[in-house]
Amino acid sequence: LRELMHKASASLADEDALDAVELFPAWGAGIAYEADQRIRYEDNLYRVVQAHTSPEGWEPPTVPALFTEVALPGEIPVWKQPTGAQDAYSAGDKVRYPDADGPVYRSLIDGNVWSPEAYPAGWEVVE
């Protein structure tokens, strides 16, 4: 029954998936993951960025090159240091910086890997 629930949950929109995180398979070491697969770690939902088999110690929050946290549509995340092209900010992406209570910034460039503080010309304050 659990396997059927995992298959059925794969078709949920992100907004609905966030209401049913417990339906998704939990992260584990030694498991082969496919790109775009959603998994659960602690109480959060993550999307696999690239196919891989996860070794011990490569939990989603510690390896942002392999996992991105799923957020509600329109939710503005706190800025995180990109690890490469796969998670660099695109022109138009919005973030809060330096924390969840900080102002909202919009990236002015594609491939933006700098914080609003490190490269102010790459960002504009929008809220």
Side-chain angles (χ1 to χ4, degrees):
L1 186 58
R2 185 69 140 150
E3 188 60 35
L4 289 174
M5 289 179 5
H6 289 297
K7 285 181 182 180
S9 65
S11 64
L12 292 174
D14 284 348
E15 189 169 351
D16 294 328
L18 287 166
D19 287 334
V21 173
E22 63 280 351
L23 293 178
F24 292 85
W27 178 88
I31 297 175
Y33 293 109
E34 297 176 17
D36 292 326
Q37 179 181 356
R38 291 177 293 191
I39 60 160
R40 154 176 63 88
Y41 181 75
E42 295 179 342
D43 291 327
N44 299 311
L45 188 63
Y46 291 85
R47 185 177 314 281
V48 176
V49 174
Q50 60 185 358
H52 69 282
T53 299
S54 279
E56 191 67 41
W58 285 29
E59 293 85 0
T62 60
V63 190
L66 296 177
F67 303 96
T68 57
E69 190 170 353
V70 176
L72 288 171
E75 186 175 286
I76 300 172
V78 174
W79 183 87
K80 290 182 186 177
Q81 178 64 58
T83 59
Q86 75 283 347
D87 62 345
Y89 294 101
S90 299
D93 285 352
K94 292 180 181 178
V95 297
R96 291 195 177 274
Y97 183 84
D99 54 33
D101 297 324
V104 175
Y105 290 84
R106 180 180 17 243
S107 176
L108 299 175
I109 58 174
D110 285 326
N112 194 346
V113 296
W114 302 280
S115 72
E117 182 179 357
Y119 186 59
W123 298 91
E124 69 177 338
V125 177
V126 294
E127 289 180 27

